[in-house]
Amino acid sequence: MNVHQGYLTETLVRFLKAREWNVSKAHKMKPIVPTELYRAVRDSQHIGMSGYSKEGLPIFAIGVGLSTFDKASVNYYVQSHIQINEYRDRVVLPAASKKCKKPITTCVKVLDMTGLKLSALSHIKLLTIISTIDDLNYPEKTNAYYIVNVPYIFSACWKVVKPLLQERTRRKVQVLSGSGRDELLKIMDFESLPHFCRREGSGSSRQSGDISCFSLDHPFHQQLYNYIKQQSLIGEPAEPVKQGSFHVKVPESADAEGTEIVKTIESELHKIENRNGLSESVDALRIKDS
């Protein structure tokens, strides 16, 4: 029930689409249900929910450019990502479906590139793991990706990342001009705009009184925190979680594939640096394994 919200047909179609209608592969996908309680990564993994589209789809905001992923181990960031996915599927989407009186099984994501630097690609292995988990366990959950506040360096990063994405994912990506405000207002009300889209020009500065949807004070994170805390009490009493104690099983091919990705990225970045004369040295960039 938690997986399909009562909409079995729509769920089966979603999983089948993710596996190009291969019934055998779709059947093998298993949901991941983490129970660990933590909040230590919120200030370095910027994600939040700002509201709903006019069609009733939840809008998730992701601060790609300013996320540093430097406050915990890779396992913590993966665990955090899974907890938000589970909260979305178990709480947010069912509530949206009930409110709209129709199946709401997907969301919209707005990606803020403010502050993006080439060094962000050092986190490519973590992003690859997260992408693999989403592809295997949470397929076809995002209706569209809107990229906003893109700096000049974005084109170089996008050239490296784009080939790594599934074709069906690439088709959902739209790069908007500036903060994307005018375009996004066509599909959502002003109140649902992420804080970094609420000004006409580019940039993530907030107007006075606006609360960042990344903040722990935002209602979404308060509700998420309470939900995780309640879930932790269902099983055994929660104990302090040691750094790196949570592990997510990723297909064995991921490590080998990740090595090839690293080689490709470093090669492409050197080409970009040589051609464009970028001031940020690629030699100082190292792909992190943990």
Side-chain angles (χ1 to χ4, degrees):
M1 182 67 179
N2 285 331
V3 175
H4 56 73
Q5 303 178 40
Y7 304 117
L8 183 58
T9 300
E10 288 80 1
T11 300
L12 289 174
V13 169
R14 178 168 58 81
F15 272 81
L16 287 170
K17 284 175 66 177
R19 286 295 172 271
E20 279 71 43
W21 301 93
N22 184 313
V23 176
S24 177
K25 290 182 180 179
H27 177 70
K28 292 179 181 178
M29 288 190 288
K30 305 291 183 181
I32 297 175
V33 186
T35 58
E36 311 294 345
L37 176 62
Y38 74 94
R39 300 179 71 203
V41 299
R42 285 278 58 83
D43 62 343
S44 56
Q45 184 183 34
H46 293 174
I47 184 171
M49 183 179 152
S50 61
Y52 297 85
S53 72
K54 294 178 181 179
E55 294 182 349
L57 276 60
I59 300 166
F60 283 85
I62 303 173
V64 177
L66 295 177
S67 290
T68 57
F69 300 105
D70 61 351
K71 302 297 184 183
S73 68
V74 166
N75 293 323
Y76 259 75
Y77 290 113
V78 172
Q79 180 182 346
S80 169
H81 179 77
I82 292 172
Q83 286 182 333
I84 291 176
N85 279 358
E86 289 293 319
Y87 183 71
R88 175 197 64 198
D89 292 356
R90 293 169 178 265
V91 178
V92 177
L93 291 176
S97 298
K98 183 177 181 180
K99 181 179 179 179
C100 296
K101 298 181 180 180
K102 65 179 181 179
I104 300 294
T105 59
T106 61
C107 66
V108 171
K109 291 183 179 179
V110 183
L111 283 61
D112 180 25
M113 297 295 162
T114 298
L116 183 68
K117 299 178 181 178
L118 276 179
S119 57
L121 290 174
S122 64
H123 304 299
I124 195 68
K125 186 168 185 178
L126 168 60
L127 299 179
T128 300
I129 292 174
I130 287 176
S131 176
T132 300
I133 289 172
D134 282 352
D135 192 48
L136 293 176
N137 300 280
Y138 307 96
E140 295 296 307
K141 300 297 289 189
T142 302
N143 182 269
Y145 299 85
Y146 296 101
I147 298 178
V148 303
N149 296 324
V150 296
Y152 80 97
I153 202 67
F154 172 76
S155 59
C157 294
W158 183 236
K159 180 179 179 181
V160 174
V161 174
K162 186 177 180 179
L164 306 179
L165 302 176
Q166 296 282 347
E167 175 59 30
R168 63 177 183 275
T169 299
R170 291 200 295 266
R171 290 196 296 265
K172 297 177 182 179
V173 176
Q174 295 185 47
V175 180
L176 305 183
S177 175
S179 67
R181 171 176 168 166
D182 293 341
E183 287 297 315
L184 292 175
L185 285 176
K186 295 177 182 178
I187 64 169
M188 66 185 75
D189 295 329
F190 181 83
E191 290 72 18
S192 291
L193 281 175
H195 64 273
F196 49 79
C197 296
R198 294 194 173 196
R199 46 183 275 178
E200 295 182 2
S202 62
S204 62
S205 298
R206 300 192 301 275
Q207 296 178 358
S208 177
D210 287 342
I211 299 178
S212 166
C213 54
F214 302 147
S215 170
L216 290 174
D217 294 326
H218 192 277
F220 170 76
H221 283 296
Q222 291 292 310
Q223 293 161 11
L224 171 62
Y225 177 84
N226 290 333
Y227 174 79
I228 294 175
K229 184 175 180 180
Q230 292 171 1
Q231 291 297 305
S232 71
L233 298 176
I234 293 178
E236 298 179 357
E239 297 179 356
V241 182
K242 293 183 179 180
Q243 190 86 338
S245 64
F246 183 87
H247 297 279
V248 177
K249 188 174 182 180
V250 179
E252 295 179 0
S253 61
D255 285 339
E257 184 177 297
T259 300
E260 292 303 315
I261 289 173
V262 168
K263 292 179 180 178
T264 301
I265 289 172
E266 291 179 341
S267 174
E268 288 297 321
L269 286 178
H270 277 293
K271 292 178 183 177
I272 294 169
E273 181 188 45
N274 293 335
R275 184 172 65 253
N276 296 339
L278 297 177
S279 59
E280 187 172 0
S281 175
V282 175
D283 291 330
L285 177 62
R286 293 291 181 269
I287 308 301
K288 298 179 181 178
D289 291 327
S290 62

